[in-house]
């Protein structure tokens, strides 16, 4: 007989950025555990949901210190609740997360690591990046992939970045999926492949896969940071189950 409860690690989700991404993370984690264990098994999770209104305002104001302070209280709540590992459901918020991680007694699974490993395993080196403006404009994620996985990251033009960011904040985080926006993303991706030599595309915002995914450009490898992050968390959570 299977011993109960199973020795599964509790995954703490630093969520709310956005609620749409958090919902998809919860689905990916539960589906991933059930695919591995079968039956009625799902993931053991805790969710600390932030107000996306706070996130949006502080990102727009470049208030990264304020974001770190706000996120710290939520991460500490996950630790107090018994989380064994923490996932932040946002690529963008991994910048303020860097100031929090060293002070927490449990590990934070960095969103860039599973994606970087997947790109490396695919034999690619030069890849394009879509995401919010901070992800595309600033260097913190690009440097992470370069320093840890030897990747070259190419980004859209400033005007294209503005359009990608607008679609994320005005549409995707509200669950508003528009074919015209999909076609615009496809056009930008194809331009980066033709003009910049991109060999693939990082979906560097955890809502983008709802709009753009592999079937939209079948011969251009895409790397869904949300899915890869959750797959790695499932591996970690089930490590002690024989």
């Amino acid at each position: 007989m299977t011993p109960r409860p199973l020795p599964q690690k509790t995954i703490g989700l630093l969520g709310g950025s956005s609620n749409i991404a958090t919902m998809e993370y919860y689905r990916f984690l539960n589906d991933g555990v059930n695919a591995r264990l079968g039956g009625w098994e799902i993931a053991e999770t805790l969710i600390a949901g932030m107000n996306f209104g706070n996130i949006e305002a502080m990102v727009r104001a470049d208030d990264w210190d304020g974001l770190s302070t706000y996120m710290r209280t939520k991460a500490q709540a996950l630790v107090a609740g018994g989380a064994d590992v923490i996932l932040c459901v946002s690529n963008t918020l991994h910048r303020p997360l860097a100031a929090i991680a060293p002070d927490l007694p449990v590990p934070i699974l960095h969103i860039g690591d599973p994606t970087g490993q997947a790109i490396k395993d695919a034999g690619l080196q030069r890849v394009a990046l879509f995401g919010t403006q901070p992800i595309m404009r600033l260097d913190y994620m690009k440097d992470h992939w370069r320093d840890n996985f030897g990747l070259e990251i190419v980004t859209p033009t400033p005007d294209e970045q503005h359009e990608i960011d607008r679609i994320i904040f005005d549409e995707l985080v509200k669950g508003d999926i528009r074919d015209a926006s999909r076609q615009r993303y496809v056009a930008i991706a194809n331009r980066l492949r033709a003009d910049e030599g991109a060999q693939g595309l990082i979906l560097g915002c955890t809502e983008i896969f709802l709009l753009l995914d592999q079937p939209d450009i079948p011969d251009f490898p895409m790397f869904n940071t949300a899915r890869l992050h959750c797959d790695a968390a499932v591996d970690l959570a089930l490590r002690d189950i024989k």
Side-chain angles (χ1 to χ4, degrees):
M1 176 177 285
T2 302
R4 296 292 178 176
L6 289 176
Q8 182 180 166
K9 289 181 170 58
T10 299
I11 301 168
L13 288 178
L14 195 54
S17 52
S18 68
N19 59 302
I20 298 295
T22 307
M23 177 176 67
E24 295 298 330
Y25 262 69
Y26 188 67
R27 179 172 68 87
F28 284 156
L29 291 171
N30 289 323
D31 287 353
V33 169
N34 188 258
R36 293 270 292 273
L37 300 182
W40 293 269
E41 314 293 352
I42 62 171
E44 296 200 358
T45 54
L46 293 169
I47 300 175
M50 298 178 287
N51 173 12
F52 191 64
N54 294 333
I55 300 297
E56 188 274 343
M58 287 189 276
V59 166
R60 295 303 188 206
D62 283 331
D63 185 7
W64 300 102
D65 289 340
L67 278 166
S68 288
T69 299
Y70 179 51
M71 291 168 62
R72 185 183 301 275
T73 62
K74 302 298 184 180
Q76 289 170 339
L78 290 172
V79 172
D84 298 303
V85 61
I86 292 174
L87 277 66
C88 177
V89 308
S90 164
N91 287 270
T92 303
L93 295 188
H94 273 64
R95 185 184 186 192
L97 195 64
I100 301 168
D103 301 328
L104 295 177
V106 303
I108 292 177
L109 182 58
H110 195 289
I111 197 169
D113 290 339
T115 293
Q117 190 61 53
I119 296 169
K120 187 174 180 180
D121 290 346
L124 308 184
Q125 184 177 13
R126 186 173 176 83
V127 290
L129 174 63
F130 282 9
T132 63
Q133 281 197 326
I135 285 290
M136 295 182 288
R137 175 173 51 88
L138 302 177
D139 290 333
Y140 60 102
M141 288 296 289
K142 289 179 276 187
D143 287 349
H144 184 87
W145 283 313
R146 182 198 64 205
D147 295 343
N148 292 281
F149 301 96
L151 302 180
E152 299 176 39
I153 305 297
V154 297
T155 53
T157 66
D159 285 346
E160 290 169 340
Q161 289 183 25
H162 176 78
E163 195 165 6
I164 290 168
D165 181 270
R166 180 196 63 75
I167 289 168
I168 290 169
F169 278 95
D170 291 352
E171 299 171 21
L172 301 186
V173 302
K174 299 177 181 180
D176 183 1
I177 309 301
R178 304 183 187 183
D179 188 62
S181 296
R182 178 182 296 106
Q183 295 308 314
R184 184 62 184 132
Y185 273 30
V186 167
I188 296 171
N190 281 330
R191 189 198 66 74
L192 289 167
R193 176 165 58 167
D195 296 349
E196 302 292 339
Q199 300 167 308
L201 175 65
I202 298 171
L203 306 182
C205 172
T206 51
E207 293 88 8
I208 287 180
F209 77 93
L210 297 168
L211 178 69
L212 181 71
D213 214 345
Q214 196 61 70
D216 296 306
I217 315 178
D219 62 342
F220 192 51
M222 295 187 193
F223 299 89
N224 179 348
T225 55
R227 169 76 75 176
L228 291 164
H229 202 196
C230 290
D231 288 347
V234 169
D235 288 342
L236 191 156
L238 302 184
R239 185 174 296 167
D240 297 332
I241 296 177
K242 306 301 184 183

